[in-house]
């Protein structure tokens, strides 16, 4: 019922974590891996991210019954085309990309005779590369699986079981809705964080050193996600353009309304807006999606 | 050289933390405290936030040689006026507010015959109220002191020594520059966080439950500061209006430029913007202003 040989293409944070998680939670499954970057392959072998690091993608997938593409969204089509000639016909094709409609198209075009079931584990950190992964990255996080219509239900069941074995809670969703939901819960937050960190670096009347020193006033929270992998995020915005622009339009309208309240001194409007945003934080903590300790528990390990 | 009797007006996160820090680090100093809310006074007495919780502000300050106002920016003037008649003439007046020019004016108008030296410890959490404070809140954080021109240098020195004793690093700055620096490192981040959390709650095509479930994609980082005290933040934006609107204008320009890059598919512009924001995160960590562990060290206490 479970995949016996999993090939992981791309050995950064996500790919490396999948490899480590398989080793930890699915001892019956063997893993192969490939990364386009030779230094990443070398480091992946040193850390043992997969059972066998291969010098080519073709070699990595040759006997796989599941291949997971863990490359930036814009590189999915090319990575899939590279292995099309040798991929076993029964091998399930999946991925971990943050946008789903564009990736589903790219994978299906490159591998028209294979079953493609895209997935997106909503888990990550600001770190990237072969040193960033760890086995419990997916534990108690959601993994959204976006099967196309009329998909192979047996393979879908196997993919769901795979992610559950890695500790994730799985949700089935259509790709279009996924792209809208993630536009607001992930893509827009990253875009805004990248923007404000850029704005703060470009000021003439406040030095960068001052921005860094006094970042504990709130700014530092934004710098974490603005330190995420730039290639991946470039591709996310380009591949989920319409949903991101829609959400950005809503955000800009709301920001303009608050700006107006500040300008005209409408304290009541500000207060009522600020009071209602507390409840969401509470729900996120109650559902186990964030740490309940103040300040995310920052620095608690070094306190007396 | 050090203050012997410190009166704290307002016993929430900041006032309570000052009281606890004085007890921990300045055993020779006694503290009195007052809060306008009877339930807060009761809880403050239970937790021992100060040596003596007083039923009136007048009683709390009657013998003080330092009074620190820890009330929302908009309440500073009224709180100071209330004690004007009884405040010992030599008592130094300070505060912890997040905007400095407006508060300096309000305190000086209410207490024209006293030395007023405003201060702003750049430290806090998303929690508020008498249960939120803790003694090490200020440790390794910056405290910005904004003395007026021709101030009493002896009292300034004493105030600096006081904050250093509580664990803070002190910086002297003029109030106008403080307000500009904090507009970008604290006020703008809060405004943006409040906005996006509001935007996400108001969508018709994405449910609030979906926003909460998939918040680990980035959104949850914003909910922390959007859970901050609404009264205080209303007052911060109203009292530092000009600097906030200036910074907001810069932010909006930068966001519009990125929006255009997404719309026209300019991947190079996106990449080069995203690549340069990583360095700031690194500097913040190097200077001890944030936790170096991935994800702020979230959940590390519960991992095997």
């Amino acid at each position: 019922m479970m995949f016996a040989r999993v090939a992981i293409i791309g050995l950064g944070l996500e790919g490396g974590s999948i490899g480590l998680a398989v080793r930890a939670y699915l001892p019956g499954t063997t893993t192969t891996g490939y990364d386009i970057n030779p230094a990443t392959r070398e480091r992946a072998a040193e850390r043992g991210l997969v059972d066998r690091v291969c010098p080519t993608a073709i070699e990595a997938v040759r006997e796989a019954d599941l291949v997971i593409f863990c490359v930036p969204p814009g590189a999915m089509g090319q990575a899939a085309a590279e292995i099309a000639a040798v991929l076993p016909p029964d091998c399930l094709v999946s991925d971990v990309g943050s946008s789903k409609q564009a990736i589903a198209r790219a994978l299906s075009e490159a591998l028209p005779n294979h079953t493609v079931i895209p997935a997106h584990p909503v888990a990550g950190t600001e770190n990237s590369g072969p040193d960033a992964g760890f086995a419990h990255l997916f534990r108690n996080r959601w993994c959204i699986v976006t099967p196309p219509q009329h998909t192979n239900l047996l393979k879908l069941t196997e993919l769901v079981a795979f992610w559950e074995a890695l500790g994730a809670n799985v949700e089935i969703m259509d790709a279009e809705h996924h792209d809208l939901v993630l536009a607001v819960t992930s893509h827009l937050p990253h875009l805004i964080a990248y923007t404000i960190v850029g704005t703060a670096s470009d000021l003439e009347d406040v030095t960068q050193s001052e921005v860094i020193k006094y970042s504990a006033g709130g700014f530092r929270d934004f710098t974490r996600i603005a330190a995420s992998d730039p290639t991946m995020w470039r591709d996310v915005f380009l591949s989920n353009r319409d949903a991101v622009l829609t959400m950005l339009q809503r955000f800009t309208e709301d920001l303009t309304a608050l700006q107006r309240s500040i300008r005209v001194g409408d304290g009541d409007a500000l207060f009522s807006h600020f009071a209602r945003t507390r409840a969401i934080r509470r729900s996120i903590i109650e559902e186990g999606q964030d740490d309940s300790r103040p300040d995310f528990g920052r620095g608690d390990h070094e306190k007396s």
Side-chain angles (χ1 to χ4, degrees), chain A:
Chain A
M1 173 81 193
M2 185 57 77
F3 305 106
R5 290 175 300 277
V6 176
I8 302 169
I9 306 299
L11 295 170
L13 169 66
E14 300 287 329
S17 294
I18 292 174
L20 293 170
V22 168
R23 170 158 311 152
Y25 307 122
L26 287 171
T29 297
T30 62
T31 52
T32 51
Y34 169 76
D35 195 283
I36 198 168
N37 182 340
T40 300
R41 291 202 297 275
E42 192 178 331
R43 187 68 191 124
E46 282 167 13
R47 285 196 70 201
L49 297 181
V50 289
D51 295 331
R52 188 161 55 89
V53 176
C54 301
T56 65
I58 285 177
E59 199 172 316
V61 305
R62 206 180 278 282
E63 300 193 315
D65 45 20
L66 168 65
V67 55
I68 308 180
F69 290 99
C70 304
V71 301
M76 294 275 178
Q78 172 66 31
E82 221 167 276
I83 53 134
V86 300
L87 195 68
D90 270 353
C91 181
L92 175 61
V93 175
S94 191
D95 76 301
V96 296
S98 300
S99 66
K100 295 272 60 97
Q101 294 176 95
I103 291 172
R105 264 195 308 273
L107 292 177
S108 303
E109 278 169 25
L111 300 165
N113 302 315
H114 284 80
T115 300
V116 175
I117 305 181
H120 176 206
V122 186
T125 76
E126 64 275 31
N127 295 335
S128 47
D131 282 295
F134 49 94
H136 58 263
L137 176 63
F138 310 108
R139 210 157 76 189
N140 202 26
R141 296 276 84 87
W142 288 94
C143 180
I144 304 176
V145 176
T146 61
Q149 282 192 305
H150 318 299
T151 196
N152 181 322
L153 289 179
L154 181 61
K155 287 195 189 298
L156 173 61
T157 310
E158 286 178 331
L159 187 66
V160 168
F162 176 79
W163 278 106
E164 286 177 346
L166 269 43
N169 306 313
V170 175
E171 192 76 45
I172 309 280
M173 202 182 278
D174 72 71
E176 187 182 351
H177 190 61
H178 166 280
D179 287 356
L180 202 60
V181 171
L182 272 289
V184 70
T185 61
S186 180
H187 308 170
L188 181 59
H190 277 79
L191 186 66
I192 288 167
Y194 277 123
T195 304
I196 190 175
V197 175
T199 303
S201 338
D202 290 345
L203 299 171
E204 303 85 29
D205 32 19
V206 176
T207 67
Q208 189 148 327
S209 149
E210 287 174 321
V211 167
I212 289 161
K213 267 170 99 162
Y214 307 119
S215 60
F219 179 73
R220 61 178 175 162
D221 283 27
F222 292 71
T223 62
R224 187 186 77 79
I225 60 179
S228 302
D229 184 52
T231 305
M232 190 193 103
W233 282 97
R234 174 198 65 195
D235 287 0
V236 169
F237 293 119
L238 296 179
S239 65
N240 196 24
R241 189 182 68 163
D242 293 348
V244 168
L245 291 176
T246 300
M247 291 303 170
L248 187 51
Q249 180 61 33
R250 303 287 298 252
F251 170 80
T252 304
E253 282 172 21
D254 292 345
L255 185 60
T256 305
L258 282 176
Q259 178 174 353
R260 186 175 181 285
S261 299
I262 293 172
R263 194 180 296 281
V264 304
D266 186 348
D268 291 345
L270 294 175
F271 180 86
S272 71
H273 187 100
F274 300 164
R276 75 196 178 88
T277 48
R278 284 192 140 173
I280 291 212
R281 174 94 193 142
R282 204 157 41 232
S283 304
I284 286 173
I285 288 168
E286 279 165 9
E287 297 202 9
Q289 295 302 312
D290 209 344
D291 200 309
S292 63
R293 293 171 300 164
D295 248 342
F296 304 117
R298 270 183 182 119
D300 269 11
H301 60 308
E302 60 191 25
K303 274 166 197 151
S304 53

